[in-house]
Amino acid sequence: MPKSNSLRNIEGWKDINWRKAERYVFRLQKRIYAASRRGDVKIVRKLQKTLMRSWSNRVLAVRRVTVENQGKKTAGVDGIKSLTPKARFELAGQLNLTGKSKPTRRVWIPKPAREEKRPLGIPVMYDRALQAVLKAALEPEWEALFEPNSYGFRPGRSCHDAIKQIKNCIQSKAKYVLDADIAKCFDRINHKALLQKLNIKGKVRQQIKAWLKSGVIDKGAFTATSEGTPQGGVISPLLANIALHGLEERIKQEFPRMVLFNEGNLVSQKRGGF
């Protein structure tokens, strides 16, 4: 079975049955999603632990960051990049939650049509792969909880889905539109609030905290990180969505159904989708 750790002793990277590995991981993710929908936290945590320990999840995580990802040739502070099949295989066998993390490497990229630059934090290859392992276990739990009109950085959703929802909401009658931008969203996420929201204990919490507090190295100078998530991290988009979870409901509370005056008559206007 692809979930067996003993496979790494008898098979090479090129001999891995990727289809079996993907099916095994996907089945576990579906069970995590279903348990999360039921509110069965105990089963969710048990299945997540199984998935994080599975050989299938680890080799898929390594493939994602060393083969499929566009940043596979971008090194972290350790200078490791472009791994060979043998090195990928060895990396998959080394992945474990240790509660430790190396600093990220600061890379500045220009923002479109602006002089301002966006800071990226590039983790080392080991941390990237471990983040992919953990993300595969956490994502189905939160996909069962996220609000219906959240579209960014979510599997199976895109900007086209958001555009379609906007069209469905405004085509019948005029609506008010709230256009807001969260300034430096990734860089200003509160670590303590995020960890409390995750509601998870043990090694997983320690590992996520280690990534958040790992600090950055920019041109040889180390800077500690007291807030935010590294924008180059595999798990960072998921953590940002978790931090923003509840925003839709909060806006609905702040902007309830509005009552307008139209030619002396009261007109009740229903709020559209967020």
Side-chain angles (χ1 to χ4, degrees), residues 9-163:
N9 298 320
I10 59 175
E11 287 188 349
W13 181 263
K14 295 180 181 179
D15 298 322
I16 295 174
N17 190 325
W18 295 108
R19 190 173 181 82
K20 277 188 176 181
E22 289 168 350
R23 282 204 301 261
Y24 175 76
V25 170
F26 184 63
R27 284 200 301 268
L28 269 180
Q29 287 179 320
K30 286 199 299 183
R31 292 175 63 188
I32 293 171
Y33 178 89
S36 181
R37 292 279 289 182
R38 297 194 306 267
D40 194 339
V41 178
K42 185 176 180 179
I43 295 297
V44 168
R45 297 289 178 256
K46 182 179 179 180
L47 293 171
Q48 285 174 332
K49 185 180 292 186
T50 301
L51 183 54
M52 285 186 289
R53 289 177 175 175
S54 82
W55 176 246
S56 297
N57 188 23
R58 282 187 277 172
V59 293
L60 288 172
V62 171
R63 185 179 70 169
R64 176 180 176 183
V65 301
T66 62
V67 179
E68 301 172 345
N69 193 274
Q70 292 181 353
K72 61 188 177 184
K73 295 182 179 180
T74 304
V77 294
D78 59 357
I80 296 177
K81 60 180 180 179
S82 302
L83 299 182
T84 64
K86 181 181 178 181
R88 295 174 205 153
F89 199 70
E90 291 175 352
L91 175 59
Q94 296 168 358
L95 296 177
N96 288 297
L97 299 177
T98 62
K100 300 179 181 179
S101 173
K102 290 187 177 181
T104 59
R105 182 170 72 91
R106 175 69 79 214
V107 176
W108 296 90
I109 60 172
K111 288 187 175 182
R114 294 185 186 180
E115 294 184 0
E116 185 183 358
K117 291 186 177 181
R118 176 183 288 113
L120 291 185
I122 309 298
V124 297
M125 196 65 72
Y126 179 92
D127 283 334
R128 277 181 253 178
L130 191 57
Q131 285 182 18
V133 169
L134 192 52
K135 181 183 178 184
L138 290 179
E139 194 166 56
E141 174 194 358
W142 283 93
E143 278 297 313
L145 304 174
F146 282 145
E147 293 161 315
N149 292 296
S150 165
Y151 294 94
F153 305 115
R154 291 187 60 186
R157 293 193 172 204
S158 68
C159 61
H160 299 288
D161 298 308
I163 291 170

Side-chain angles (χ1 to χ4, degrees), residues 165-178 258 260 268-274:
Q165 175 65 0
I166 292 171
K167 179 183 177 182
N168 292 338
C169 291
I170 67 174
Q171 63 183 358
S172 59
K173 61 176 69 176
K175 298 288 194 304
Y176 287 98
V177 176
L178 173 62
M258 302 178 68
L260 305 178
S268 176
Q269 179 175 326
K270 294 181 67 177
R271 179 184 56 246
F274 174 62

